[in-house]
Amino acid sequence: DLKPTLKGLHFLGDFLDTHSVSSHSKGMIPIPGLTLGKEYKAGNDLLNKFDAITNSCPNHIDKTFIYGNHEDRYFRHIANSDNNKFADALLSPQQALNLDARGYTTLTNWKEDYKLLGNSLQLIHGEYCTQSPARTHMNKLKSSVMFVHTHRIDICYDGEKAGFNIGWGGDSNAPCFNYVSRITKLNWMNGFALVTIDENNHFHTQVIQVYKDHFWYGGKKY
């Protein structure tokens, strides 16, 4: 529905869980039958759906894929001396998801990299899991910021600066998330954000909550 005006698509990290190389499950088979190849296939299938939309937009779509700490599991896995011998044979998320061919700018340093929208809105993966992560990230960066790391939604404004913690997009009941408690997952909230950059390069943001597999936007239920 937004194709006529869409200008960008930005993934802020943990698009993949890369559960099969997680240190949480070191020495075990965490989920029988789950492999990194299957995770990569699921990621490609989903990106194909996004490509079907962005490739048919009338405008050029600026696309960004920022690694999160979960994609970073790949680097931590091959940094292990027992695994490093396979490093040149094990595809990275960037390679396996064909991100270059899909037209994404890939940012692989999850703690340092960011995408700037307009004059002042930094898109990052996020790092801090405090009681009010939006305020913490905004104060630490001394800038307006949007992130996803905590899987929660909270928003903070301080004058023209703002922090947007925009949730996540996943199924908390999936077995790969059993490394955290049920109480922790009760605080997770599915969501995403739409950002409009005006003629003065200032951002205007709508954070959209996904509730029980649907959301409302522009008076329409999706």
Side-chain angles (χ1 to χ4, degrees):
D1 287 352
L2 294 178
K3 283 197 299 183
T5 57
L6 190 67
K7 298 289 184 66
L9 175 66
H10 309 288
F11 292 106
L12 305 189
D14 295 353
F15 177 85
L16 294 173
D17 190 67
T18 56
H19 191 79
S20 47
V21 292
S22 169
S23 60
H24 290 289
S25 306
K26 186 176 181 180
M28 301 183 294
I29 299 176
I31 301 175
L34 180 68
T35 64
L36 187 60
K38 289 183 178 179
E39 293 189 73
Y40 282 159
K41 182 182 183 304
N44 274 298
D45 289 345
L46 185 54
L47 285 175
N48 289 341
K49 295 180 180 181
F50 282 100
D51 284 352
I53 302 299
T54 57
N55 291 342
S56 61
C57 288
N59 302 306
H60 168 73
I61 305 300
D62 179 21
K63 299 196 287 189
T64 310
F65 190 103
I66 301 175
Y67 275 29
N69 56 301
H70 287 233
E71 283 89 5
D72 190 68
R73 287 172 172 173
Y74 164 81
F75 292 126
R76 282 174 272 159
H77 181 75
I78 63 173
N80 181 283
S81 58
D82 291 331
N83 301 327
N84 188 258
K85 63 177 74 77
F86 306 115
D88 59 350
L90 188 63
L91 294 177
S92 70
Q94 182 175 0
Q95 294 168 320
L97 296 178
N98 302 299
L99 295 177
D100 294 346
R102 294 180 188 274
Y104 285 88
T105 297
T106 305
L107 305 175
T108 61
N109 189 334
W110 75 276
K111 287 188 176 182
E112 301 294 332
D113 287 335
Y114 67 96
K115 167 74 175 180
L116 186 67
L117 289 188
N119 288 328
S120 59
L121 181 61
Q122 293 189 31
L123 309 184
I124 66 172
H125 176 65
E127 184 174 353
Y128 305 104
C129 297
T130 59
Q131 185 174 357
S132 301
R135 178 171 292 278
T136 300
H137 282 82
M138 182 186 68
N139 288 341
K140 292 283 188 180
L141 283 171
K142 298 178 173 58
S143 168
S144 294
V145 61
M146 179 176 290
F147 61 98
V148 298
H149 178 61
T150 71
H151 295 197
R152 294 156 53 190
I153 290 179
D154 75 301
I155 301 170
C156 174
Y157 282 92
D158 186 359
E160 292 189 356
K161 288 191 299 184
F164 302 98
N165 188 13
I166 65 171
W168 75 307
D171 177 6
S172 61
N173 294 316
C176 62
F177 300 117
N178 287 342
Y179 61 87
V180 295
S181 69
R182 179 182 66 89
I183 294 175
T184 296
K185 289 188 284 188
L186 286 175
N187 293 307
W188 292 358
M189 185 176 294
N190 284 321
F192 62 99
L194 296 173
V195 180
T196 300
I197 304 298
D198 67 18
E199 64 276 8
N200 297 312
N201 258 350
H202 184 71
F203 63 87
H204 302 266
T205 299
Q206 295 172 274
V207 178
I208 298 175
Q209 175 194 2
V210 180
Y211 179 70
K212 293 189 180 299
D213 295 328
H214 72 275
F215 64 90
W216 286 83
Y217 172 73
K220 180 179 177 180
K221 182 180 180 181
Y222 292 84

